[in-house]
Amino acid sequence: MPTVFEWEKPLVELEEKINELRNFIFEQGIDFKDELNDLERKADKLRKEIYERLTPWQRVRMARHPDRPTTLDYIKLVFDDFFELHGDRRFGDDHAIVGGIAVLDGEPVTVIGPQKGRDTKENITRNFGLPHPEGYRKALRLMQQAERFHRPIITLIDVVGAYPGIEAEQRGQGLVIAECIEQMSFLKVPIVCIITGEGGSGGALAIGVGDRILMMEHAWYSVISPEMCATILWKDANRASEAAELLKLTSTDLLKFGIIDDVITEPLGGAHRDHEGTGRQLKAFLRRHLSEIKRIPPDELVKHRLERFRKIGEYQAKKLNEMQVDM
Amino acid sequence: MPTVFEWEKPLVELEEKINELRNFIFEQGIDFKDELNDLERKADKLRKEIYERLTPWQRVRMARHPDRPTTLDYIKLVFDDFFELHGDRRFGDDHAIVGGIAVLDGEPVTVIGPQKGRDTKENITRNFGLPHPEGYRKALRLMQQAERFHRPIITLIDVVGAYPGIEAEQRGQGLVIAECIEQMSFLKVPIVCIITGEGGSGGALAIGVGDRILMMEHAWYSVISPEMCATILWKDANRASEAAELLKLTSTDLLKFGIIDDVITEPLGGAHRDHEGTGRQLKAFLRRHLSEIKRIPPDELVKHRLERFRKIGEYQAKKLNEMQVDM
Amino acid sequence: MLHVFRNKPKYATVRPEKANQDGVENGGSAGKGNDPQWTRCDNCSSLIYNKELHKNNYVCHHCGFYFRMSAVQRLQQLADENTFQPFEPLVSCNPLDFPGYPAKITQCQNATQLDDAILIGEAKIEGYGCVLGIIDFGFIGGSMGSVVGEQITRGFEYGIAKQLPVVIVSGGGGGARMQEGIFSLMQMAKTAQAVGRFKKAGLFYLSVLTHPTMGGIYASFASLGDIILAEPKALIGFAGPRIVAETTRQKLPPDFQTAEYALKHGMIDGIVIRSEMKATISKLLSYHL
Amino acid sequence: MLHVFRNKPKYATVRPEKANQDGVENGGSAGKGNDPQWTRCDNCSSLIYNKELHKNNYVCHHCGFYFRMSAVQRLQQLADENTFQPFEPLVSCNPLDFPGYPAKITQCQNATQLDDAILIGEAKIEGYGCVLGIIDFGFIGGSMGSVVGEQITRGFEYGIAKQLPVVIVSGGGGGARMQEGIFSLMQMAKTAQAVGRFKKAGLFYLSVLTHPTMGGIYASFASLGDIILAEPKALIGFAGPRIVAETTRQKLPPDFQTAEYALKHGMIDGIVIRSEMKATISKLLSYHL
Ligand SMILES: [Zn+2]
Ligand SMILES: [Zn+2]
């Protein structure tokens, strides 16, 4: 049974009706083309209305739809070839992050991203897409390898956060995130980061420092998940939908803030309703942005990347009359 | 009870006799100065004879004398100050390798070395001076840190080998040794390696790639321990003494081979009989060699270091008449 | 490029004396009969005369308990007298229009006499010049919003410009400042990059972790020190212990995420008791002239 | 600097056909009635026709057992026909005057038709040019003495000079060659440095680990590949399993030091079955043109 969100229900029902009618017409051999077209136009309008009115919380739930393409899905949809590489060369191979060399338009690129499972078994293998430090160390190793061979780096981000586990803490979850952020900032190759689903806090940022940061229409990216925010504010995770409003975590908000560079529009109804179409869309955006930054010399690239993050922050100088406190 | 080797016994007995006599004379107030001097001269001669005639196996045993100075002893004896630094920033802090910043003649240097324990309890903490991968990763981290701050690196090597344990293998013992060797080779700071006791195989080489490689007189350095060699050759570890002969592992041999640059003479009877004297000696040699290489520009230093190892190897081109085999 | 103020202001926004006289803010409560001169130790319940507590670096001399120090108290402990020159003061905006945030800021400003959760400037420590930054837990849990991120970044840039080492004393409970959302997250990137640029300039960064250093502060500049020291028993980690316990449904080890645990697992260089912190910092500065 | 021969000799020191006709050297024994045309699988005892075995990349088609391949057999499997140009042949000396070593060398030379434990030269793999080096376990356990160390080093230097990638197929049981003592140990440094120089030149090094890759070979060039692949079940590690068992007095995990174990613990990039090895190598070479 595919998951159907409550706001999708009228749409899904209408679509079913249209399909039934189409089958009926086809069987009967009646010419109802115009009427069918009218109906479909109505469905389109409904779709648009529904998806334009989505609340932030609904978009968070879209980003978590179980049928939404995962990182490996996108890799298959977008690239011509993929050779997965494993291990951090220190401790383990984290299945919650995949990475390797892929081919885009005949050119090798390094692709990295957290990987969620689709069923329980796979979710256990993938630790529900929650990476351990060795996953981030693998990512870093592959990014440094990419730099050695002048390969562009593409990160596909879909992660609620770094795994909050005992062993993960033991092996330096915080430290490795900091290391990833620092190292990634200075890599002399073009980096495109795409938040495809969830962009949860430091666990997302650890592989999210790039020259272009794109976001799927219904992805979210925030310093904290709505649930955790609600827990802190009201000690009630069920008020996540209110928290989602406060956090300004949608692609629309983040584009306005200048945090991301572009929003990758999803097929009406969301990525989960059309993998192929979503893949084509992502590929088109990726191609365009990558081709732009590939023209920039490596030193310039790093300089711009640093400037980009350097200027983020909302503060103001204190007015002098407030400063009349003697030390 | 201090350990007394069988070959030391005549000497120790003579020394005791002389001491008794000296005490007797002192108590009685008799003037036996000349006779005493004669006796001491004899003892000196005996000492010299004994220690010049030591077999390789006896020197291996000297290197393992429980009272021989350990790395931390040498640090205390040679340097003015020492601030120990901990951890590999990835997994753990290996107590079998110590490292930190020390001061030599007013200048900070980075000092690193495996650390043996003196009693059972300390030996358990120190894992008998047998490092795990995290120990080598700590060493590498501190060496890279030293490079960042243009600090010379001094490694004090006394290790039978890297620990052959399940977890050590799991965490990449072989890989980390290779990484240490590779990385150390290209560090743009002066490196002095001193084999102070045992220099066992890859576990020693991992911190043994330097611009000057010095060796204490009674240290040994080899690709394999005499015991293991005897086990392989004759399936009998008790024939280690014969294997020690074959392996050419003494400072005398290695100086002849050009593998090491200098032999640090030990006080007669070995380092364990006079820590202070040994420390002074080591400091003098270290100072001299360090001051020489500190004058060399960093790039030259690395170039020479690479050339030094590049040319090691005994082989010959095959004569053409041996090559008349068609493919 | 540098945004540090060029004309040093005659005024600073800290009042060490006042903060001191106000007594101890954390880990202690007002003494018998609410006498503000005395503080009761939360650990052993002993009553301690405030001046005594101050002299003893805010460590209970009955049980060794470490009281939380305000940034100003820490500054007094570490910096040589009259050497601290604060950076241009910055104050927070409310980029998400987060309800209640401006009021919270004002309240914390009044309580701590700070502009935000950081006190930062140039200072001397036993004669060694450095940039000294101190996070104040009393200001929204010592969390990093735009102001903390900007000031930390300016700290490293100032260090590069003046060829000075940087010492940051961290102690931010939640790490990120939720109320600034994505802007807070981005400060992790900004500060980590500032550390990276600083390191490439060949300068020395000493990170000192105090109770508690967690989340986005630990996962950015705080864990990137050339050398990392910690106070005994300081909580150090990424995810909060409660979240870890809830997620894993496992019993946490008794020393979980303490400084001792971090040392054992190779994450920090050493644990330094409070009374020796100044001497240790100055020694490490002397190694990196 | 480069010691590689300038005038390519008309002669090589390998006889693939001969080695092939001699049958399978390891993991199998002569078949029924000692018929040299047949080999018995050491794992499942099936009798396999040699030509069949050769066609099947020396994998038993009854049980999937991987027979050990000689360097020549491996060369035939991986290199495009008639593309291999061997380096100048080198032979061992006896720097320690180790008793019995020269005789052992001669014996191994006769048995393997190799000069030492390595076959190395320029080759093409599905059209992609590279330096291809293959360790032969049959030559004193595939151990690294001065000749192997020198040839590996020349391989990377040749790669730098000709801007070619390097592929090394390792399989050295003991790693170091005891009989050359300290000279053998120093080859670890020499080869690791060669890899370092090669990497700094921006070139691609692919390390392929076959059963067994241990000791000094694993702890130097073999574990420094940009990408590391392994054959299924290959033994990979530093200390031998017997030594680990004796030292720790613990029961070893059933998959201890296998390729699968190395993959699980993050030490290698992937496991590739023998029949796909050539295609995989050529694909990776195509990514690094
Ligand atoms: Zn108390
Ligand atoms: Zn079989």
Side-chain angles (χ1 to χ4, degrees), chain D residues 130-133 155-156 159 164-168 198 204-207 285:
Chain D
C130 66
V131 173
L132 176 60
F156 286 104
L164 284 174
V166 171
V167 179
I168 308 274
F198 181 78
F204 174 58
Y205 167 33
L206 173 62
S207 177
L285 290 177

Side-chain angles (χ1 to χ4, degrees), chain D residues 41 43-44 60 62-63 65:
Chain D
C41 172
N43 187 48
C44 73
C60 172
H62 300 285
C63 71
F65 177 75

Side-chain angles (χ1 to χ4, degrees), chain D residues 50-78:
Chain D
N50 283 353
K51 277 192 182 156
E52 206 58 45
L53 195 56
H54 176 71
K55 250 194 255 164
N56 203 33
N57 290 309
Y58 301 89
V59 176
C60 172
H61 30 227
H62 300 285
C63 71
F65 177 75
Y66 274 48
F67 287 75
R68 186 173 290 136
M69 288 172 80
S70 71
V72 173
Q73 287 163 348
R74 186 77 66 175
L75 179 69
Q76 287 181 305
Q77 188 213 345
L78 298 180

Side-chain angles (χ1 to χ4, degrees), chain B residues 110-239:
Chain B
T110 288
V111 184
I112 295 162
Q115 177 65 31
K116 290 179 177 173
R118 237 220 181 99
D119 50 41
T120 309
K121 200 188 143 211
E122 209 197 339
N123 259 322
I124 288 167
T125 308
R126 301 290 182 189
N127 196 36
F128 295 85
L130 302 169
H132 274 76
E134 46 274 24
Y136 290 111
R137 292 202 178 99
K138 169 167 70 178
L140 189 53
R141 179 175 79 84
L142 297 184
M143 290 195 277
Q144 288 165 337
Q145 186 185 82
E147 185 184 37
R148 252 177 58 56
F149 297 111
H150 315 292
R151 276 198 293 271
I153 296 167
I154 293 142
T155 65
L156 302 169
I157 302 170
D158 182 18
V159 62
V160 188
Y163 185 61
I166 295 172
E167 295 219 318
E169 290 291 320
Q170 206 177 86
R171 295 198 290 272
Q173 192 71 286
L175 202 146
V176 78
I177 289 172
E179 275 183 349
C180 276
I181 296 171
E182 186 195 347
Q183 300 290 319
M184 201 174 175
S185 302
F186 295 91
L187 293 175
K188 292 188 174 180
V189 285
I191 307 175
V192 179
C193 306
I194 306 175
I195 300 139
T196 59
E198 308 196 74
S201 186
L205 181 63
I207 50 167
V209 181
D211 305 306
R212 292 294 160 91
I213 299 167
L214 316 181
M215 202 166 160
M216 300 291 297
E217 189 180 353
H218 299 303
W220 66 270
Y221 189 17
S222 170
V223 73
I224 192 170
S225 72
E227 289 92 336
M228 206 116 78
C229 177
T231 306
I232 291 173
L233 285 179
W234 308 295
K235 305 200 188 324
D236 184 0
N238 291 321
R239 290 174 69 180

Side-chain angles (χ1 to χ4, degrees), chain C residues 41 43-46 60 62-65:
Chain C
C41 172
N43 186 48
C44 73
S45 299
S46 302
C60 171
H62 299 285
C63 70
F65 177 75

